Amino acid sequence: MKRTISILVENHPGVLSRISGLFSRRSFNIESLAVGVTEDSTMSRITIVVDGSDYTVEQVEKQLNKLIDVIKLKTLEPDELISRELMLVKVAAGADNRGDIINIAKVMDAKICDITRTTMTIEASETTEKLDNMLEILRPYGIREVVRTGTIATQKGSDTINTKK
Amino acid sequence: MKAAQAMTECLKREGVKDIFGYPGAAICPFYDALVGSGIRHILVREEQNAAHAASGYARVTGKPAVCVATSGPGATNLITGIATAYSDSVPMVAITGQVVSELLGRDVFQEADITGAVEPFVKHSYLVKNAEDIPRIFKEAFYIAGTGRPGPVLIDVPMDVQNKEIEFSYPESVSIRGYKPSVKGHPLQIKRVISAIKEAKKPIICAGGGLFATGAREELRRLAETCHIPVITTMMGIGAIPTAHPLHYGMLGTHGRRVANTAVNESDLLILIGARVGDRAVTAPGTLQQRTKIIHIDIDPAEIGKNMEAQIPLVGDARIILNQILDAFEGDSCGGHEEWIETLNALKAKEPVQESYPDGSINPKAFLRKLSAHTEEDCVVVADVGQNQIWTANYFEVKKGRLLTTGGMGTMGYSVGAAEGVKTALPDTQVIAVCGDGSFQMQMMELGTICQHHIPVKIIVMKNNRLGMVRELQKNMYHENYSGVDLTGSPDFVKIAQAYGIESMRISRAEEEEKAVQTLLQSAGPFLLECDVSPEESTL
Ligand SMILES: Cc1ncc(C[n+]2csc(CCOP(=O)(O)OP(=O)(O)O)c2C)c(N)n1
Ligand SMILES: [Mg+2]
């Protein structure tokens, strides 16, 4: 099962390698990983999507917690999270099918952010599943390049990772 | 103050009196500051031994000990020692010199990414970028290494950083937001432990190395005696309760005693204390967890449920938790285990004692019993790795002292270095290293160290001319197809010792044992005793 883990870490060099090293060393599978600074510039947030059993997820959590650089972490349950991923996809598009692609983008709430004689670049911010779906629909037109950020997520409602339960 | 001097000042603030190391260009500013600092530097003969010595020192003092090396090869030579300390949860601060900051990443002479390389084997590491951070980093390093589940911390200091001028002030306390080890056990869980112990008919305590880390031997003995619970240990837990205690039933595991393994398998309650359920201790955790109820007490939450599920997990410091349990039992008696204890006693009595002496050989098991009979109560024995280790683990009797060995990594070449560290920390205590002829040859150079620094450790080499343990494995599992286990070409160890001016002796018959043991123990300086052992001698 896929699980999303949100991790607050010290914002200094070397932290990311400690975390990714831990995953490979303990053979945990990372589906995606995204990093960025937070409201507090001394902390970064890493969002990791892992695929594994409950046992694996528990181990991931515990091993991550052992790292001194990890300040706090939380596994976000599927029904309590809002997740997004940003994707840029360059599709082959000439005069004959530009209209089609514009329509697909519109239906999917995506934007055309660049256009050339032979290609169009679509920008979409969605859940991972919807992005996968969009790629399937675009595939017949010829996908030239896909760039994705990996999932970021937060919990629904007013609580944050810092809310004490 | 020069940063290098700040480094020695930090060590002094942490109460460090002795360090083990090996210099080189990149750590020279620190070595320069060492002169006149009042800190004793013990020059090992290869860096791995500096880490092992620090390990021995830390294990008997309970405080982080220090090893030092230069950049590049000096630092990489430390790795095996650091990894060994990590897997045995030993508090240690390793300091390495590094090439100058502005050349980092250019693959210059003797540059090695040591913080990267040791990442899997350290509790934490620092690459010092700003000299001003030195006091804080040292304070944190000692705190992290010595608290919670102990472990090694590495501090890598580029040469230019060591040469900077800084204002020195040592922090009073540390505040690391990502590191808050829990110590007390949850009261609700303590209650569950109490009722589980009361309900149990066949309880057993399995004591691990964690009990030494927190200094809970007394509490363990009291719990066992108050609640009449038999105790077995892991390899790291040997001596947590005196070997000869009537409620002690030996070490469990692949190389453990039959009675200990039977006790675990037939128990209805297994209380693991500071033991991580390593695969050498518990070979089939899956079956065991279905058969018996498990209480797992450990300071590292990640160990609970990692290798075996526990019905009653209890995270915290074993000493504090044992006291919580004992307090809860206050005035309450707990019995009903007599039948169980009798069963185990009967099994213990039936265990065969091997006393045969093959021609021209010492029986190592009988020898180790004899040795125990003559050593002082608080004697510290360090067992290396191989058959010699298991013989010592199963046959040396620990009273108030310690039996140290590397249970986690099983690093050959541990014993002499570690014994060196123990003897440095406890100059008035008997310290004996027991090793094999293979492992001794991995650390023979340390004879120089113990001579130079007058560290009178006693060394016993079990000479079977083989990598005995591997040979036995090949005998049993590979149809006696012996491959790479013959040590022909080994020197005469007695003469080697003599070349260093170390007293030495060889024995090969039972009649010689008594005198040899006495000579060894009474000698003033270091001593090497070679015991000729048959290659056919079995581990168990
Ligand atoms: C550094 C290292 N290399 C290899 C091994 C694998 N190993 C385990 S026991 C052993 C044999 C040890 O031989 P010796 O020191 O003579 O002890 P004996 O078993 O003969 O008592 C070996 C090679 C190890 N544990 N550590
Ligand atoms: Mg041998």
Side-chain angles (χ1 to χ4, degrees):
Chain A
M1 195 167 87
K2 283 187 190 163
R3 303 294 275 279
T4 309
I5 306 177
S6 184
I7 315 163
L8 284 181
V9 299
E10 295 289 348
N11 183 11
H12 57 222
V15 176
L16 192 58
S17 88
R18 285 194 174 125
I19 292 193
S20 56
L22 187 147
F23 273 78
S24 67
R25 202 156 62 235
R26 300 212 175 246
S27 34
F28 300 143
N29 281 325
I30 303 184
E31 293 270 320
S32 82
L33 184 153
V35 202
V37 290
T38 64
E39 64 281 0
D40 173 347
S41 65
T42 66
M43 286 193 237
S44 303
R45 184 188 301 265
I46 300 181
T47 310
I48 291 181
V49 179
V50 292
D51 193 7
S53 61
D54 284 352
Y55 168 82
T56 311
V57 173
E58 189 185 323
Q59 278 300 308
V60 170
E61 284 185 354
K62 285 177 165 176
Q63 294 298 339
L64 282 171
N65 262 323
K66 281 179 74 163
L67 296 177
I68 311 290
D69 287 329
V70 168
I71 299 163
K72 190 168 250 180
L73 66 82
K74 189 165 189 220
T75 298
L76 302 169
E77 296 305 329
D79 55 354
E80 61 164 27
L81 66 80
I82 299 166
S83 75
R84 290 292 180 273
E85 183 176 357
L86 178 64
M87 174 171 80
L88 297 174
V89 49
K90 200 168 283 184
V91 196
D96 51 336
N97 55 15
R98 265 187 209 124
D100 282 8
I101 290 170
I102 291 170
N103 274 336
I104 293 169
K106 207 177 262 167
V107 173
M108 307 211 83
D109 248 347
K111 239 169 54 185
I112 308 293
C113 58
D114 188 34
I115 183 161
T116 69
R117 220 151 39 76
T118 54
T119 64
M120 287 174 98
T121 301
I122 305 172
E123 169 193 332
S125 160
E126 262 307 343
T127 62
T128 298
E129 294 70 35
K130 284 197 183 156
L131 294 182
D132 290 345
N133 185 26
M134 181 184 302
L135 283 179
E136 274 322 298
I137 294 167
L138 291 172
R139 201 168 302 280
Y141 298 93
I143 291 174
R144 293 281 174 80
E145 190 173 46
V146 175
V147 183
R148 297 171 72 154
T149 57
T151 301
I152 55 168
T154 184
Q155 49 201 316
K156 287 180 187 161
S158 59
D159 284 357
T160 71
I161 191 169
N162 289 314
T163 308
K164 291 222 162 60
K165 275 273 158 64
Chain B
M1 182 187 289
K2 209 168 158 189
Q5 196 194 336
M7 290 163 72
T8 60
E9 198 52 41
C10 293
L11 296 181
K12 287 203 287 195
R13 298 292 174 100
E14 291 297 331
V16 174
K17 298 199 167 52
D18 310 280
I19 62 175
F20 303 88
Y22 211 102
I27 192 73
C28 260
F30 173 79
Y31 270 79
D32 187 46
L34 213 46
V35 178
S37 68
I39 297 170
R40 180 182 184 201
H41 175 262
I42 290 164
L43 178 68
V44 295
R45 293 305 192 257
E46 194 262 347
E47 290 86 350
Q48 182 183 149
N49 302 304
H52 292 330
S55 164
Y57 196 102
R59 288 174 75 173
V60 294
T61 58
K63 288 198 290 196
V66 179
C67 54
V68 189
T70 191
S71 67
T76 53
N77 267 353
L78 270 185
I79 296 178
T80 302
I82 292 175
T84 305
Y86 183 70
S87 63
D88 291 337
S89 310
V90 177
M92 179 183 294
V93 173
I95 301 169
T96 48
Q98 182 55 279
V99 301
V100 297
S101 310
E102 66 173 26
L103 293 178
L104 269 174
R106 307 240 198 119
D107 300 326
V108 295
F109 180 65
Q110 294 197 332
E111 176 181 359
D113 171 13
I114 193 63
T115 48
V118 295
E119 176 55 27
F121 315 117
V122 289
K123 203 167 160 187
H124 198 50
S125 65
Y126 297 89
L127 170 54
V128 185
K129 297 262 171 74
N130 301 311
E132 294 76 31
D133 292 339
I134 283 177
R136 175 185 58 81
I137 287 176
F138 273 68
K139 181 83 191 172
E140 287 184 2
F142 276 85
Y143 177 70
I144 292 170
T147 54
R149 177 179 185 174
V153 174
L154 181 128
I155 309 175
D156 195 25
V157 196
M159 201 160 59
D160 56 315
V161 172
Q162 297 174 53
N163 281 322
K164 287 254 165 61
E165 282 293 325
I166 64 163
E167 294 264 338
F168 182 80
S169 92
Y170 203 59
E172 295 269 298
S173 58
V174 288
S175 155
I176 309 166
R177 49 187 170 178
Y179 181 66
K180 303 263 181 310
S182 53
V183 287
K184 258 181 109 170
H186 198 287
L188 253 175
Q189 295 296 80
I190 301 278
K191 275 199 184 133
R192 292 180 63 199
V193 170
I194 306 284
S195 48
I197 292 178
K198 283 187 174 161
E199 276 163 30
K201 292 276 167 290
K202 297 191 282 183
I204 184 103
I205 293 173
C206 175
L211 281 159
F212 293 107
T214 173
R217 292 163 92 173
E218 187 49 30
E219 284 81 0
L220 171 69
R221 190 189 53 76
R222 274 171 55 211
L223 179 67
E225 288 173 2
T226 314
C227 303
H228 306 284
I229 308 176
V231 179
I232 55 169
T233 75
T234 63
M235 188 178 280
M236 295 299 289
I238 291 175
I241 190 161
T243 316
H245 192 286
L247 282 170
H248 176 244
Y249 297 88
M251 172 177 88
L252 88 166
T254 327
H255 291 118
R257 300 196 87 126
R258 195 182 301 158
V259 54
N261 287 321
T262 313
V264 172
N265 289 332
E266 295 190 354
S267 65
D268 63 356
L269 177 68
L270 171 61
I271 309 171
L272 292 156
I273 311 175
R276 69 187 172 95
V277 201
D279 56 316
R280 285 284 168 112
V282 182
T283 18
T287 356
L288 192 58
Q289 74 195 24
Q290 282 165 8
R291 208 181 297 157
T292 175
K293 190 172 200 167
I294 293 160
I295 298 174
H296 196 170
I297 302 171
D298 206 290
I299 193 140
D300 181 359
E303 286 305 340
I304 296 176
K306 185 174 87 180
N307 298 332
M308 187 153 71
E309 274 174 41
Q311 276 88 340
I312 311 179
L314 201 45
V315 177
D317 180 303
R319 191 170 55 82
I320 293 171
I321 289 177
L322 289 185
N323 277 315
Q324 285 177 286
I325 297 174
L326 283 163
D327 286 349
F329 261 113
E330 193 73 59
D332 211 349
S333 78
C334 169
H337 310 145
E338 295 79 10
E339 210 174 305
W340 169 234
I341 291 174
E342 265 165 40
T343 316
L344 295 182
N345 283 345
L347 277 173
K348 185 154 84 170
K350 263 200 290 186
E351 288 216 324
V353 184
Q354 219 201 33
E355 295 283 6
S356 73
Y357 276 79
D359 268 354
S361 297
I362 294 297
N363 176 333
K365 299 160 190 169
F367 173 83
L368 283 154
R369 277 176 201 268
K370 190 158 288 170
L371 181 69
S372 326
H374 287 85
T375 49
E376 283 162 13
E377 285 216 311
D378 60 351
C379 167
V380 178
V381 168
V382 187
D384 213 279
V385 170
Q387 293 189 293
N388 60 86
Q389 174 185 36
I390 309 302
W391 294 328
T392 313
N394 285 330
Y395 293 92
F396 185 83
E397 184 194 330
V398 186
K399 294 158 204 151
K400 290 186 181 146
R402 295 283 297 271
L403 190 152
L404 304 178
T405 191
T406 155
M409 192 61 74
T411 309
M412 282 172 70
Y414 178 71
S415 62
V416 177
E420 221 171 86
V422 175
K423 190 69 187 173
T424 305
L426 308 173
D428 299 327
T429 304
Q430 275 181 348
V431 181
I432 305 171
V434 179
C435 53
D437 44 357
S439 42
F440 181 63
Q441 288 180 79
M442 284 198 180
Q443 55 198 339
M444 218 152 62
M445 70 290 257
E446 284 312 293
L447 294 180
T449 309
I450 63 180
C451 284
Q452 179 180 9
H453 299 277
H454 309 290
I455 309 171
V457 297
K458 317 295 177 190
I459 302 169
I460 297 172
V461 183
M462 297 290 182
K463 184 172 184 179
N464 52 10
N465 237 324
R466 303 290 188 285
L467 298 174
M469 179 158 279
V470 182
R471 179 185 182 273
E472 188 177 62
L473 178 75
Q474 293 176 350
K475 177 176 175 175
N476 297 331
M477 310 292 282
Y478 297 87
H479 311 288
E480 302 190 16
N481 187 26
Y482 298 123
S483 176
V485 292
D486 188 319
L487 286 172
T488 301
S490 302
D492 179 333
F493 299 125
V494 170
K495 280 196 186 147
I496 291 271
Q498 279 164 6
Y500 282 91
I502 294 176
E503 247 191 287
S504 57
M505 192 176 197
R506 173 185 302 111
I507 54 170
S508 53
R509 285 177 299 119
E511 307 84 80
E512 298 170 311
E513 283 178 350
E514 185 81 20
K515 179 145 176 282
V517 167
Q518 296 203 5
T519 316
L520 171 113
L521 293 176
Q522 281 158 18
S523 62
F527 196 97
L528 185 144
L529 175 64
E530 181 188 305
C531 297
D532 290 341
V533 171
S534 160
E536 295 298 335
E537 186 66 56
S538 65
T539 300
L540 288 178

